[in-house]
Amino acid sequence: AHFKMDTVLEQQRLLHEELERVQRAAANQLVESAKTQREKVRQEHRVNKMCERIQECSSQLKDFYVDLDGSRKRELAALSGPDEFSEFYKRLKSIRDHHRRYPGEVTEPMKVEYVDADVNDGLPASNTLVEFSGEEGYGRYLDLHNLFDMFINLKGIEKLDYVDFVVKFDRLFDIPKGLKTRQYRKYLQALLDYLSSFYRRAKPLRNLDADLEKVEREFETQWQEGTFPGWSREDVKDADMTNTESVNLNEFKSAKELESVGLERLKNALQSLGLKCGGTIEQRAARLFGTKGKAKESWDKSIFAKNSKSSKNPVNDSKAVALLEARIYRMAELLGETRNLTKENVERKQARTAEELEEEEEDGAIDEVSEEEDEDSDNELIYNPKGLPLGWDGKPIPYWLYKLHGLNIRYDCEICGNFTYRGPKQFQLHFNEWRHAHGMRCLGIPNTQHFYGVTKIADAKALWDKLKNKKDIQLFKAADEEEYEDSQGNVVNKKTYEDLKRQGLL
């Protein structure tokens, strides 16, 4: 519009009106039930954009009410002062001048904006809310092919096929620490970036940042205690040695005294500061001691290592890699259902013949076609009085097939959070899947073959105690099992021998 309402109260009124309309539009979106995966994702993205607009309006309103520049207070004083009529006619004159300057101007009501938003998803027609690859099926499946290529090209890594990689990509604690190189860290970062991007695109209303912040707090505790999966207490100590606090320069009066800490420790301290770490022990000590009591900006530029990011921000590589792993563990939990669907989808595609795959390519994106068909047939009621599972075509499977696979038998697993599995096959397979492994990890029990078939928490704990006691019994106890012989040829155990020796009876 050419005319801008410059009064603070009018701007506040407009923002309040927009807040109410955006909230009503978001509520209407959430009331409608999405019929397809595509519509569900697009609906959540529309609501997410409306929530962002609500935050913007609320922030602007807060600034008006705080009134740091005093403009609102001055306007209220002008309206309530002794010259309120002159103020009224002054504003009336400005409105008439505007309409005289722009005759016949059409004013578009605010509600029209949200009608257009429903048609175009709140964006110009040339833009799209979100993009997915063909393999992702509009947020239904993961597309890990590029990451799979990066994984199998890591040195020393056991080779897997794609289906196994989808199932086991979060089993990072099984990878030996010696294989966790710079290339491995690059792979972890790429994996985390993809999982985070996919989660934000597929589930925009979830607060992923809050989840990752919680993961970082829990990770700090586990790291300090040395209980983080895949990293022992010794690894934590070795990582801490690279911290600059490992060498306290205040304890040394000269570079000569600093040489006493040793060549390797000087190297670690220099690396953690991003400085050159080569040379003799005298050169390293002099270089490190030269930084004592000086601000980092005043250090000699020649002592910094070339292309070293740590010269600005020291990074503990081992801890950084472990933190990436912690975030990936959390992302794998959040995307657990999606990963299971991805595995089933890949196996289903691998079972198809070349002719069927060619037909799919000719027909285009088969998921989009099936979604359009689903939209046409959504109004048709499916007759399913027995509550049978739906097949690939969206219709109930035959009852004989339902009985053949034992899907009428339900198994509850307390370790999985009382999750119910239908059929013996699904129940047997779940012991190696992420949900059961996560439940066992929360109990502090390794998910080994000993616990196959155990579904109760109390049973799992009892069996774990029994296995630990059995292991303790099998351990060699020197005091009871180590034998000694005295001068007379009598054979006794170590404890008895030491008791007799202390009493002087030998």
Side-chain angles (χ1 to χ4, degrees):
H2 299 287
F3 176 67
K4 178 181 177 182
M5 302 298 292
D6 56 354
T7 63
V8 175
L9 294 179
E10 178 61 19
Q11 292 182 55
Q12 284 183 300
R13 188 199 66 76
L14 283 172
L15 287 171
H16 277 295
E17 180 183 357
E18 185 170 3
L19 267 178
E20 292 180 5
R21 291 191 181 278
V22 175
Q23 289 172 357
R24 190 179 298 117
N28 292 337
Q29 285 287 332
L30 293 174
V31 166
E32 296 178 5
S33 59
K35 298 176 181 178
T36 62
Q37 173 70 11
R38 174 186 293 271
E39 182 55 34
K40 180 181 177 182
V41 173
R42 294 173 73 87
Q43 182 188 71
E44 289 193 5
H45 275 277
R46 285 194 291 266
V47 174
N48 185 50
K49 288 188 174 295
M50 293 176 185
C51 290
E52 292 175 356
R53 183 58 188 153
I54 289 173
Q55 290 177 337
E56 293 175 9
C57 292
S58 301
S59 177
Q60 294 177 28
L61 277 171
K62 181 182 176 183
D63 293 339
F64 279 127
Y65 281 114
V66 171
D67 196 20
L68 292 176
D69 59 355
S71 58
R72 184 173 183 270
K73 185 178 181 180
R74 288 194 297 271
E75 186 172 332
L76 289 174
L79 291 174
S80 59
D83 298 331
E84 65 270 14
F85 287 106
S86 61
E87 181 70 21
F88 169 76
Y89 285 113
K90 179 182 176 182
R91 298 190 180 195
L92 179 61
K93 182 179 180 299
S94 67
I95 293 174
R96 286 176 174 172
D97 290 341
H98 169 76
H99 286 287
R100 193 180 299 112
R101 197 177 300 113
Y102 306 107
E105 182 182 23
V106 179
T107 304
E108 184 179 278
M110 189 178 292
K111 64 180 181 180
V112 176
E113 177 184 349
Y114 295 99
V115 172
D116 295 340
D118 289 341
V119 176
N120 294 328
D121 295 328
L123 295 170
S126 60
N127 293 340
T128 55
L129 275 173
V130 62
E131 293 183 355
F132 290 95
S133 68
E135 185 73 18
E136 289 173 336
Y138 224 85
R140 189 181 288 112
Y141 311 117
L142 295 170
D143 183 5
L144 300 173
H145 287 88
N146 291 336
L147 295 161
F148 173 65
D149 291 339
M150 291 181 66
F151 179 78
I152 61 176
N153 285 309
L154 295 176
K155 291 183 179 179
I157 295 295
E158 179 185 357
K159 304 307 178 185
L160 304 172
D161 59 17
Y162 183 67
V163 176
D164 289 336
F165 175 73
V166 171
V167 176
K168 299 179 180 179
F169 72 80
D170 63 329
R171 298 184 66 85
L172 304 173
F173 48 82
D174 290 339
I175 299 176
K177 183 177 178 296
L179 300 179
K180 296 182 178 181
T181 58
R182 183 177 301 176
Q183 197 69 17
Y184 171 79
R185 180 177 176 178
K186 184 178 178 182
Y187 156 73
L188 287 184
Q189 188 63 58
L191 177 59
L192 178 62
D193 290 344
Y194 172 75
L195 295 177
S196 302
S197 169
F198 179 86
Y199 191 81
R200 295 182 195 279
R201 287 181 288 132
K203 301 178 181 180
L205 295 180
R206 311 303 197 277
N207 191 351
L208 179 60
D209 293 332
D211 272 331
L212 294 181
E213 288 176 5
K214 182 181 178 183
V215 167
E216 288 186 23
R217 292 193 298 269
E218 294 175 351
F219 167 76
E220 287 294 338
T221 303
Q222 290 180 317
W223 182 260
Q224 295 300 329
E225 296 174 353
T227 58
F228 187 72
W231 298 83
S232 64
R233 204 175 287 271
E234 289 74 19
D235 297 330
V236 176
K237 290 179 181 178
D238 292 342
D240 290 340
M241 286 298 293
T242 63
N243 198 305
T244 58
E245 296 178 357
S246 60
V247 176
N248 186 3
L249 297 180
N250 295 325
E251 298 177 358
F252 304 94
K253 297 180 180 179
S254 65
K256 192 68 177 175
E257 291 184 12
L258 189 57
E259 296 174 12
S260 61
V261 301
L263 199 66
E264 194 63 29
R265 196 171 172 190
L266 285 172
K267 178 182 177 182
N268 290 335
L270 288 168
Q271 284 179 334
S272 64
L273 288 171
L275 306 179
K276 294 178 179 178
C277 59
T280 63
I281 189 169
E282 293 82 5
Q283 293 173 334
R284 295 182 186 183
R287 196 178 303 134
L288 182 59
F289 191 78
T291 64
K292 180 181 178 181
K294 296 181 181 179
K296 197 163 190 176
E297 294 74 16
S298 63
W299 294 356
D300 186 1
K301 300 297 182 184
S302 63
I303 67 174
F304 285 106
K306 293 182 179 179
N307 302 325
S308 176
K309 296 181 180 179
S310 57
S311 60
K312 297 181 179 179
N313 183 22
V315 176
N316 187 322
D317 287 341
S318 298
K319 188 175 181 180
V321 170
L323 179 57
L324 287 175
E325 293 180 352
R327 289 172 176 165
I328 290 172
Y329 292 149
R330 180 57 181 158
M331 294 305 306
E333 291 177 16
L334 294 174
L335 295 170
E337 292 294 338
T338 305
R339 183 163 62 161
N340 290 338
L341 292 174
T342 303
K343 174 177 173 289
E344 295 173 2
N345 181 53
V346 173
E347 290 176 340
R348 185 168 59 249
K349 283 188 174 182
Q350 290 177 347
R352 292 174 183 165
T353 62
E355 291 77 11
E356 291 173 338
L357 293 174
E358 288 176 2
E359 289 177 4
E360 284 184 13
E361 292 177 0
E362 292 173 0
D363 295 339
I366 191 168
D367 290 334
E368 295 182 5
V369 174
S370 63
E371 283 182 1
E372 292 176 0
E373 293 175 353
D374 289 342
E375 290 177 0
D376 297 335
S377 61
D378 272 330
N379 295 328
E380 300 179 7
L381 295 177
I382 299 176
Y383 182 69
N384 189 14
K386 295 183 180 294
L388 301 177
L390 302 182
W392 61 271
D393 56 355
K395 297 179 180 179
I397 64 174
Y399 188 69
W400 64 267
L401 187 62
Y402 174 77
K403 294 283 286 184
L404 177 65
H405 290 288
L407 300 180
N408 56 324
I409 306 173
R410 297 174 183 268
Y411 300 89
D412 295 327
C413 182
E414 188 179 358
I415 297 175
C416 297
N418 292 318
F419 192 84
T420 301
Y421 297 93
R422 301 179 67 167
K425 181 179 179 180
Q426 187 183 21
F427 174 70
Q428 292 168 7
L429 291 175
H430 99 277
F431 289 103
N432 295 322
E433 294 178 350
W434 69 271
R435 183 182 286 108
H436 193 83
H438 174 67
M440 295 290 284
R441 193 159 56 244
C442 291
L443 294 174
I445 302 174
N447 189 26
T448 60
Q449 194 67 22
H450 301 90
F451 298 92
Y452 183 84
V454 179
T455 59
K456 300 291 184 182
I457 293 177
D459 295 343
K461 289 183 176 179
L463 180 56
W464 176 234
D465 291 338
K466 183 178 178 181
L467 290 173
K468 287 195 293 186
N469 293 334
K470 185 178 179 182
K471 188 175 182 180
D472 291 341
I473 293 173
Q474 293 176 349
L475 289 176
F476 176 76
K477 298 178 182 178
D480 296 330
E481 300 181 17
E482 193 172 351
E483 295 182 342
Y484 284 73
E485 183 178 353
D486 60 11
S487 59
Q488 298 179 359
N490 299 316
V491 178
V492 294
N493 58 34
K494 180 180 179 180
K495 183 176 180 300
T496 304
Y497 180 83
E498 290 179 348
D499 289 343
L500 293 174
K501 185 177 181 181
R502 281 194 295 269
Q503 296 173 20
L505 299 177
L506 292 178

